[in-house]
Amino acid sequence: MNNGPKKNLGANFDPIDRILSADEQLVPSSGFVSSVMERVREQAAAPPPIPFPWKRMLPGFGLAVGVFGWGAFELVRYLPQAIRHASFAAPHLPVFASRDLTQAGWVALACVLALLSWWFSSRLTQHSRIL
Amino acid sequence: MAELTATRAGAPQDLASQDAADVSRVLSGDVAAFEGIVRRWQGPLVNMAWRYCRDRNRAEEMAQDALVRAWRGLASWRRESSFSTWLFALAANVYRSELKRFPTVNLPLEEVAEPIRPAQQHDELHERQMGERLRRAVLTLPPRYREPVILFYFHEMDMGSAARTLRMPEGTMKARLARARELLRRRFPHLNELTASAQRGSEIGD
C-alpha cells in the first residue's frame, strides 16, 4: 500500500477534502491478473447457456391465448343477458345449503390468512436477506 | 483517475487506443487480449473497491467480479464514452450490488466516534487516526450520499468524472456531496480545529 495524497492540498483546504483525498493506494496482489484471466478462460470455455425454448413454448402459449380469448368472448357475450335476468333478491336457501356456505366462508378466511402469512414471511426474509 | 492511470502507463490517447484495440481483439474471439485490459485497470478497480469496503481481500474479489463482468459485457461498450467511464460505471454497479448483498459496515453513523480532544494532540498519529475514522464514517453514510463521496475522492475530486461514473447530473452530485459533508462535519465537529492546528504546525515549520 502506498500512503499519501496524490494532490498536494494545503492546510487551508476543507479538512474533509484533505483527509479523504489522502487515502492509501492499494497495489493489487501479484496473482490478481492470473486469477482474473483464469476465471475469464473458464467462462469462455463453458458451453453457452441453453436458449429459452421459444419454439416449444409457442403452441402452448397460442393455446392458452385461444382458451382465455374464447372465455373472455363468451363472458362478454352472455354477461349482459345474465345481468338482465338476474334477480337481486336473496335466494331462499335450504338450511343445509346455508350451513355449507358458512363453512365456505371460514375456508375462504383461512385461505386469505394463509396467503397473508406467506406474503408477510416472504417480506421478512427479503428484508433480513436470509434467503 | 483515468488520466492518472494514463500518466503512469503512457499518454491518455495511447491508453484509449490500447483499450479500443484490445476490446476489438476480445470481441473477435481472442480471449488472451483481455489480459492487457486487466493489467491496465487492475489498480484503479481494486482501489475503487477498497474505498467501497475498506477490506483488501474483499476489494480484490470485488474488482475481479467487476473485470469478469466487463469481459462478459464488452460488446455493450458503445465507444461513445471512454472505455474508463464505461468500466468505472460497470464496476460501481457491481460494487453497489455486492455491498447490498453483504453489507460491510453495520455501525450507524452516530456510533462512529471522533477521537477525544483532538485539538490537544497535534501529532501526525492523531491526524492519521482521525483520517481512518473519517473514511470509515463515509461507509456509514446513507447509500445516496456514500457513493458520491467515494467516487468524488476516487476520481481525485473531479466532479465530472464522478458524476459520469454514477450516471448522475453534476448538480445532483454536488448537492449530495454537500449534504454528505454536512453529515460528516456534524459527526466530526473537531475537524476544523484539526485543520487549524495543522495550519499552525505548517507555519511553525516554515
Side-chain angles (χ1 to χ4, degrees), chain A residues 6-7 11-12 14-15 17-19 22-29 32-33 35-36 39 43 129, chain B residues 42 47 50-51 54 56 60 64-65 68 71-72 100 127 131 135 153 156 181 185 191 195 199:
Chain A
K6 285 164 275 172
K7 271 186 182 175
N12 286 333
D14 184 327
D17 285 345
R18 201 161 51 81
I19 292 171
D23 201 356
E24 56 197 346
Q25 290 291 301
L26 251 66
V27 177
S29 58
F32 183 82
V33 176
S35 54
V36 173
R39 279 181 64 184
Q43 294 207 6
R129 295 187 179 84
Chain B
Q42 57 173 336
N47 277 288
W50 160 251
R51 285 169 183 260
R54 305 207 75 76
R56 193 195 162 96
E60 289 210 353
Q64 270 193 28
D65 286 347
V68 172
W71 175 74
R72 281 206 303 256
K100 214 179 272 178
E127 195 172 337
R135 286 182 202 108
Y153 294 104
E156 302 190 332
R181 284 201 184 103
R185 269 199 206 97
L191 266 177
T195 319
Q199 201 169 4

Side-chain angles (χ1 to χ4, degrees), chain B residues 4-30:
Chain B
L4 249 193
T5 313
T7 53
R8 275 188 230 122
Q13 292 87 349
D14 287 352
L15 192 82
S17 59
Q18 281 174 22
D19 286 333
D22 283 344
V23 170
S24 301
R25 282 172 59 198
V26 173
L27 290 178
S28 62
D30 181 2

Side-chain angles (χ1 to χ4, degrees), chain A residues 96-109:
Chain A
F96 65 88
S98 64
R99 201 175 57 202
D100 283 352
L101 275 180
T102 315
Q103 283 171 351
W106 283 112
V107 169
L109 182 67

Side-chain angles (χ1 to χ4, degrees), chain A residues 76-88:
Chain A
V76 169
R77 206 171 71 168
Y78 287 109
L79 196 66
Q81 286 178 27
I83 290 173
R84 232 177 289 136
H85 293 116
S87 80
F88 293 100

Side-chain angles (χ1 to χ4, degrees), chain B residues 44-200:
Chain B
L45 288 187
V46 169
N47 277 288
M48 186 174 160
W50 160 251
R51 285 169 183 260
Y52 270 81
C53 67
R54 305 207 75 76
D55 174 335
R56 193 195 162 96
N57 292 331
R58 198 167 176 203
E60 289 210 353
E61 281 171 20
M62 283 162 52
Q64 270 193 28
D65 286 347
L67 280 162
V68 172
R69 193 81 68 83
W71 175 74
R72 281 206 303 256
L74 271 185
S76 68
W77 175 43
R78 307 220 176 279
R79 299 178 194 239
E80 289 154 1
S81 60
S82 70
F83 181 72
S84 62
T85 304
W86 175 81
L87 185 64
F88 287 142
L90 179 142
N93 272 334
V94 171
Y95 300 163
R96 192 182 310 129
S97 47
E98 172 69 17
L99 292 178
K100 214 179 272 178
R101 284 199 306 145
F102 303 106
T104 181
V105 176
N106 298 316
L107 277 178
L109 180 62
E110 291 72 31
E111 287 177 28
V112 182
E114 185 179 45
I116 303 159
R117 305 295 299 154
Q120 291 178 352
Q121 305 165 26
H122 297 160
D123 55 359
E124 198 186 325
L125 178 71
H126 169 72
E127 195 172 337
R128 210 177 291 168
Q129 276 180 349
M130 174 73 106
E132 197 45 41
R133 279 168 198 251
L134 186 64
R135 286 182 202 108
R136 298 242 166 226
V138 168
L139 299 186
T140 65
L141 288 170
R144 57 193 279 115
Y145 303 122
R146 188 196 311 152
E147 270 200 282
V149 173
I150 289 174
L151 291 170
F152 178 66
Y153 294 104
F154 169 72
H155 283 291
E156 302 190 332
M157 302 204 285
D158 179 346
M159 189 74 73
S161 298
R164 278 194 297 277
T165 300
L166 278 178
R167 293 182 177 133
M168 169 189 289
E170 279 192 37
T172 313
M173 181 88 191
K174 273 183 197 161
R176 290 196 184 174
L177 265 177
R179 177 73 184 131
R181 284 201 184 103
E182 193 187 314
L183 286 170
L184 289 172
R185 269 199 206 97
R186 211 178 291 164
R187 197 63 243 136
F188 292 83
H190 295 293
L191 266 177
N192 289 327
E193 291 174 33
L194 184 78
T195 319
S197 72
Q199 201 169 4
R200 277 197 301 275

Side-chain angles (χ1 to χ4, degrees), chain A:
Chain A
M1 282 183 202
N2 301 324
N3 289 316
K6 285 164 275 172
K7 271 186 182 175
N8 186 21
L9 301 175
N12 286 333
F13 230 86
D14 184 327
I16 294 177
D17 285 345
R18 201 161 51 81
I19 292 171
L20 293 183
S21 60
D23 201 356
E24 56 197 346
Q25 290 291 301
L26 251 66
V27 177
S29 58
S30 54
F32 183 82
V33 176
S34 55
S35 54
V36 173
M37 287 312 293
E38 198 178 318
R39 279 181 64 184
V40 166
R41 284 196 186 95
E42 267 173 27
Q43 294 207 6
I50 301 165
F52 189 80
W54 288 106
K55 280 183 186 168
R56 287 188 191 179
M57 196 210 75
L58 276 176
F61 183 72
L63 188 72
V65 167
V67 167
F68 279 106
W70 176 73
F73 175 74
E74 291 295 310
L75 190 73
V76 169
R77 206 171 71 168
Y78 287 109
L79 196 66
Q81 286 178 27
I83 290 173
R84 232 177 289 136
H85 293 116
S87 80
F88 293 100
H92 177 72
L93 293 172
V95 178
F96 65 88
S98 64
R99 201 175 57 202
D100 283 352
L101 275 180
T102 315
Q103 283 171 351
W106 283 112
V107 169
L109 182 67
C111 287
V112 168
L113 284 177
L115 197 68
L116 277 176
S117 138
W118 167 80
W119 175 79
F120 183 66
S121 56
S122 67
R123 283 293 298 257
L124 270 182
T125 49
Q126 263 178 4
H127 282 290
S128 60
R129 295 187 179 84
I130 293 168
L131 296 175

